[in-house]
């Protein structure tokens, strides 16, 4: 692919099976990680992206400074995936919930790593909300095109944020759906920097304190496996990213 297209613009989309069930780690990487088979998959994915056929090949072909690379995931770890006592679907750290949950941070917060040497400064951390919906308008801008004007686009180009010409994300609100059902919405308050999130519906964890839907295999989006909240559960993500302490009108009247 690189040899055929290195003298003209190209778009390469790679969707890896790694860090997802089934874990198909090759023999070379089995037992490499201290974190079991899932960790082995992460290490193999890291090697594939960095050494096997992506970053190293781009560098060797002289495309390093002319290629925009964006590494991300489509959802957080799949908590319910188990084999015996071994957790196969990853771990989401301090963030509650995981894959298949429309609102909790564990299913929403994913890696977002960008590389474009000579254009974007290395080592920069941008603490602003972005979305995978932003990939499309970003790629269109990079290709010199224009997004359709006959419809509302939910994504925004990432380039002004990445290049520092804009300091804040264009996403003031982000709506989080589970299937076609609105479960939560976040508000990135422009002038304070505070991020609020309201949950209208949340999955019923089984067991209750487990943070996942182990008895069902994956959390449902509607029906008897979901609790509806009226008023919504409200969190200050800036102070409580693990969504442990819902705010109340009694303690937080504002």
């Amino acid at each position: 692919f690189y040899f055929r297209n290195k003298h003209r613009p190209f778009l390469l989309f790679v969707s890896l099976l790694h860090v997802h069930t089934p874990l198909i780690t090759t023999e070379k990487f089995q037992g490499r990680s201290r974190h079991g088979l899932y960790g082995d998959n992460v290490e193999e994915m890291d090697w594939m992206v960095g050494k096997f056929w992506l970053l190293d090949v781009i560098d060797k072909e002289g495309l390093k400074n002319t290629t925009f690379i964006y590494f991300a995931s489509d959802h957080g770890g799949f908590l319910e995936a188990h084999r015996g006592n071994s957790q196969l679907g990853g771990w989401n750290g301090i963030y509650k919930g995981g894959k298949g949950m429309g609102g909790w941070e564990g299913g929403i917060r994913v890696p977002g790593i960008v590389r474009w040497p000579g254009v974007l400064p290395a080592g920069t951390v941008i603490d602003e909300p972005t979305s995978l919906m932003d990939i499309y308008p970003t790629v269109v801008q990079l290709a010199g095109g224009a997004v359709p004007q006959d419809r509302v686009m939910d994504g925004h180009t990432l380039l002004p944020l990445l290049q520092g010409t804009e300091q804040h994300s264009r996403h003031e609100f982000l709506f989080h759906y589970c299937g076609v059902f609105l479960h939560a919405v976040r508000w990135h308050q422009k002038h304070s920097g505070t991020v609020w999130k309201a949950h209208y519906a949340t999955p019923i964890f089984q067991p209750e304190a487990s943070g996942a839907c182990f008895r069902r295999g994956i959390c449902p989006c509607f029906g008897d496996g979901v609790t509806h909240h009226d008023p919504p559960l409200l969190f200050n993500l800036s102070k409580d990213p693990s969504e442990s302490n819902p705010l109340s009108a009694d303690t937080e009247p504002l």
Side-chain angles (χ1 to χ4, degrees), residues 52-196:
F52 181 49
W53 51 256
L54 197 58
L55 298 185
D56 268 14
V57 176
I58 284 173
D59 294 353
K60 288 172 184 174
E61 292 298 323
L63 300 170
K64 183 175 182 178
N65 292 338
T66 56
T67 305
F68 176 90
I69 297 170
Y70 185 26
F71 176 88
S73 178
D74 62 340
H75 55 70
F78 181 16
L79 300 180
E80 290 86 359
H82 275 71
R83 183 185 298 156
N85 294 324
S86 178
Q87 188 167 351
L88 299 181
W91 179 66
N92 296 318
I94 67 168
Y95 302 115
K96 183 180 290 185
K99 176 190 176 181
M101 302 182 205
W104 295 120
E105 290 292 276
I108 295 168
R109 293 209 188 204
V110 295
I113 305 172
V114 174
R115 190 186 85 150
W116 195 3
V119 179
L120 304 177
T124 303
V125 177
I126 298 174
D127 188 17
E128 290 287 313
T130 61
S131 167
L132 294 182
M133 296 184 295
D134 299 333
I135 294 175
Y136 171 63
T138 303
V139 169
V140 169
Q141 183 179 359
L142 286 169
V147 297
Q149 300 298 307
D150 61 344
R151 70 204 71 183
V152 175
M153 304 303 298
D154 291 319
H156 302 288
T157 174
L158 294 169
L159 294 181
L161 196 60
L162 294 172
Q163 293 175 321
T165 57
E166 293 183 4
Q167 301 305 310
H168 299 290
S169 168
R170 297 180 185 180
H171 290 286
E172 183 179 0
F173 296 95
L174 280 169
F175 294 86
H176 302 300
Y177 285 83
C178 186
V180 298
F181 299 93
L182 179 64
H183 273 211
V185 61
R186 77 203 303 120
W187 175 33
H188 188 243
Q189 195 172 352
K190 279 186 175 179
H191 302 296
S192 74
T194 303
V195 180
W196 308 92

